[in-house]
Amino acid sequence: MTSAPRNYDIAELRRLDVAHHLPAQQDYKLIEDMGGSRIVTHADGCYIHDGDGNRILDGMAGLWCVTIGYGRDELADVAAEQMRELPFYNTFFKTVTPPAVMLATKISSLTNDRLPHVFFNASGSEANDTVFRMVRHYWKTKGEPERTVFISRHNAYHGSTVAGVSLGGMKSMHEQGNLPIPGIEHVRQPYWFNEGRDMDPDAFGIACAEAIEDKILEIGADKVAAFIGEPIQGAGGVIIPPKTYWPEVERICRKYGILLVCDEVICGFGRTGNWWGHETVGVKPDMIAMAKGLSSGYLPISAVAVSKEIVDVLKTGGDFVHGFTYSGHPVAAAVALRNIEIIQREQLVERTRDDTGPYLAKALAGLADHPMVGEVRSAGLIGAVEIVADKATGARFGGAEGTAGPTVRDACIANGLMVRGIRDTIVMCPPLIITHQQIDDMIAIIRRSLDECSAELRAGEAPPHDDTTDRAIS
Ligand SMILES: *Cc1c(COP(=O)(O)O)cnc(C)c1O
């Protein structure tokens, strides 16, 4: 479907958007000054369409989530069928629905039954809230109530609820609302290009992991409950740690008996070329949070998969008084289950690992000689381009962080490619159905946009972007 499905009055919708709708992670005044947001009307495959008639290659898979692409009638049919049969029932009343049980079983199988128990929620933030409450309840039940502290990283993203923001390491988010809540400590992130270029990457990876051990010793090992991290930081700027980092993190967690939690909300479901990001980085977590790719964004659903050891302890603790109205929502679960079946049927994980992932890496490498590119990096189908003013020193445009990403991002969108600009990084996370030709298009548009922005950035004329989303989160 490429023509607009309905005859919307776009100008009126934009007016009403300003009058009534508050968007996520935005400067409301900026949207008002723009005369309202871009109205996205429909989508197919890897393309979104807006009310002004633009067809835009979706290099972000929606918001890191539309893994199998847009326009899957199969998911619409599954949702309609399930809605007719049973649109809702809860899991509070010693009750459950067939799709919830089947999806839990499927998720368990995707961990090779290493994490056989699954708790459902509606969003990634809620999944991390569940992690937070479950981990603390686990330690209390186990007889170690002092173990309450979570260790996370600066510039991590774990969601927008109070616990999600607190677990996350986004400074701009902490500044609004006196966060983080107590009991959460942040350590340095393994961001080699920005913070470690004077070191060998492997040594830098070890040094970043050692910061966790230092923090554990500072707090007291018997007070630390868990370490949480995204295998690859997504919203922080697609930060791919040196290969030494995660195995050392795992070794440290095991040494002090601390739970290891991976936030797989972006990295899960094939994004990095394996089912899970933790496989790509080579660790075995005790718990994982997942969302986004779980349903390819077709409906809101998230999950936490948990080890047998943890659940065995929880079973000795009576009611775990936690859960949501929509935990295990049957329509969302049915859609997620079919989404996973489609990923399997179309071998999208294998394709990402063996074909499109390596192809993206090669295409990105072709950008590396560009005078404004400091580094390119990718894992599977998630990637980033670091924009620099000076290739030799890595200096940023305007002498400070943060101008180039949003500027080049705007040019990319105008040129027909949706990407995000996070500080001075262009990040991409296309649907896993993307073709070689579409990857070539994506890279060509980024190159052209860099060229177009070059003069403006060098003149320091780039307008200031008070765009919280792109400066800080996604
Ligand atoms: C998006 C995201 C979340 C939050 O998910 P929501 O569904 O927006 O609540 C948590 N963790 C990571 C790694 C994410 O990318």
Side-chain angles (χ1 to χ4, degrees), residues 123-126 128 157-159 230 263 265-266 291-292:
S123 69
S125 304
E126 286 170 69
N128 286 320
Y157 190 72
H158 297 302
E230 306 149 79
D263 181 341
V265 171
I266 287 177
K292 296 189 171 128

Side-chain angles (χ1 to χ4, degrees), residues 25 63-64 122-128 156-161 164 229-235 263-267 289 291-292 300-302 474:
Q25 312 275 2
L63 194 51
W64 323 85
S123 69
S125 304
E126 286 170 69
N128 286 320
Y157 190 72
H158 297 302
S160 195
T161 52
E230 306 149 79
I232 292 168
Q233 283 158 264
D263 181 341
E264 293 273 7
V265 171
I266 287 177
C267 293
K292 296 189 171 128
I301 183 168
S302 70
S474 92

